Amino acid sequence: MTPQELVVRMLPPFGGWLALAALALPGGSPLRGAAVVLFLAAGPGAAMVRVCAPALGARPAEGPVERRDPDFARHSDLLERLMLVLFMSIGAVMLVATVLIASHTFSAQRVLLTLTLLTTLAAFCPPLRASPQPRTTPSTPKGSAQ
């Protein structure tokens, strides 16, 4: 692992720890709100998508038959990952908040701390391996003898 890969891998957990540190700022501080919202919107999802990245990139995007954009696959993959980061982060926030509400221990600090710990754990996970391409066998017409 190169130092650049390590830095990219540790950005989401660092954002979480930074958001936790921002809780020490006054309640109406825009910097506090920006740090927390930015982490909650992208941090957990970025760590989870990084773990799944090889599996996501195993099959290229299929564009329309008539291609006008030569970079369709690259743009499509980028948009897919951005949407996954956002929606997985929102899902993680909702799941953690629901569990804490159900256990009668809900607080914003606990949600942020739990998500930061889960993001840190996901940053240390190795990436998933991509599954091999499925083999395509030539189909024979029904009723033929082979």
Side-chain angles (χ1 to χ4, degrees):
M1 178 183 313
T2 65
Q4 290 86 6
E5 290 173 347
L6 184 63
V7 167
V8 169
R9 193 176 198 174
M10 290 300 145
L11 276 176
F14 177 72
W17 294 110
L18 189 66
L20 279 171
L23 292 179
L25 294 172
S29 171
L31 187 60
R32 175 183 177 167
V36 171
V37 168
L38 188 62
F39 171 71
L40 291 178
M48 289 186 275
V49 168
R50 187 208 55 84
V51 172
C52 302
L56 291 173
R59 292 179 181 84
E62 293 182 17
V65 176
E66 178 183 304
R67 288 213 175 174
R68 294 187 182 146
D69 184 10
D71 294 329
F72 174 81
R74 186 172 56 90
H75 293 170
S76 178
D77 289 342
L78 179 63
L79 181 62
E80 174 186 343
R81 289 190 187 187
L82 287 174
M83 290 293 101
L84 276 173
V85 164
L86 179 68
F87 291 128
M88 287 180 83
S89 290
I90 291 171
V93 170
M94 297 298 289
L95 186 65
V96 168
T98 302
V99 167
L100 292 175
I101 288 171
S103 64
H104 302 289
T105 57
F106 177 80
S107 74
Q109 291 84 4
R110 285 188 182 128
V111 170
L112 194 57
L113 178 64
T114 304
L115 286 170
T116 300
L117 292 172
L118 290 174
T119 302
T120 304
L121 182 66
F124 287 113
C125 288
L128 296 175
R129 285 185 256 162
S131 60
Q133 292 274 353
R135 283 202 251 171
T136 57
T137 57
S139 60
T140 57
K142 202 172 194 178
S144 65
Q146 278 191 352

